[in-house]
Amino acid sequence: MANESIDVTESVLFYLGLAKYISTRGTCPTKQVGAVIVDEGLNIVLSTGLNDAPRGLQRCGAECQNRTIGENSKSCQAIHAEMNAILNAARVGIPITKATMYVTISPCLNCARAIIQSGISAVYASSMSPYEKALDILKQAGVKTAIVSGVSLPRVIMPPWMTSEDTSG
């Protein structure tokens, strides 16, 4: 996924770092992925997603622990982060047309199709997946794409009441 006319700004690094942070909450034992959908004009987060089972369903179990990515996917309950972010926005009626998606790994073919169909106009990823065809169809559909390496987790400062340490003195 070549960097095609997309500037790597501080906000790009922030949102990729946020996607990385969100990925740490994923329950898929095979791959933790995070996605953030942003309205660039308003500079606000519209939706987020992570690799996780659908609401109300049991999360992946032992059968997923040792599987190779892309194999035996019939036993996996997880929804990919990109699809989860798109569906979360749809669930509450948030339009994501012309939005930008930030994701920790470039999308698979099914997620690329959903990105195109939902009207997302750009995708930034902090690492490359093995799904070359997904990148091809994103480009064919006019979705701008970029891989931005070297993204670290944003520093999160927790308020004292959210930490495990008692700071009341």
Side-chain angles (χ1 to χ4, degrees), residues 94-165:
I94 297 173
I96 57 174
T97 304
K98 297 184 182 173
T100 299
M101 179 178 280
Y102 298 88
V103 65
T104 55
I105 189 166
S106 61
C108 72
L109 189 56
N110 285 332
C111 288
R113 290 179 185 130
I115 288 166
I116 293 164
Q117 194 66 11
S118 68
I120 290 172
S121 62
V123 177
Y124 289 90
S126 54
S127 64
M128 184 71 182
S129 77
Y131 303 105
E132 293 290 331
K133 186 168 179 159
L135 305 179
D136 293 340
I137 70 163
L138 286 170
K139 290 174 187 176
Q140 287 173 22
V143 177
K144 295 178 183 176
T145 59
I147 292 285
V148 181
S149 58
V151 176
S152 59
L153 286 173
R155 184 165 180 247
V156 178
I157 300 172
M158 302 300 282
W161 66 86
M162 294 182 75
T163 63
S164 59
E165 298 175 16

Side-chain angles (χ1 to χ4, degrees), residues 62-83:
E63 66 278 0
C64 281
Q65 290 282 345
N66 299 316
R67 76 177 185 87
T68 303
I69 294 174
E71 294 179 10
N72 303 326
S73 58
K74 290 183 177 159
S75 64
C76 181
Q77 292 280 26
I79 297 174
H80 287 183
E82 303 94 327
M83 190 73 72

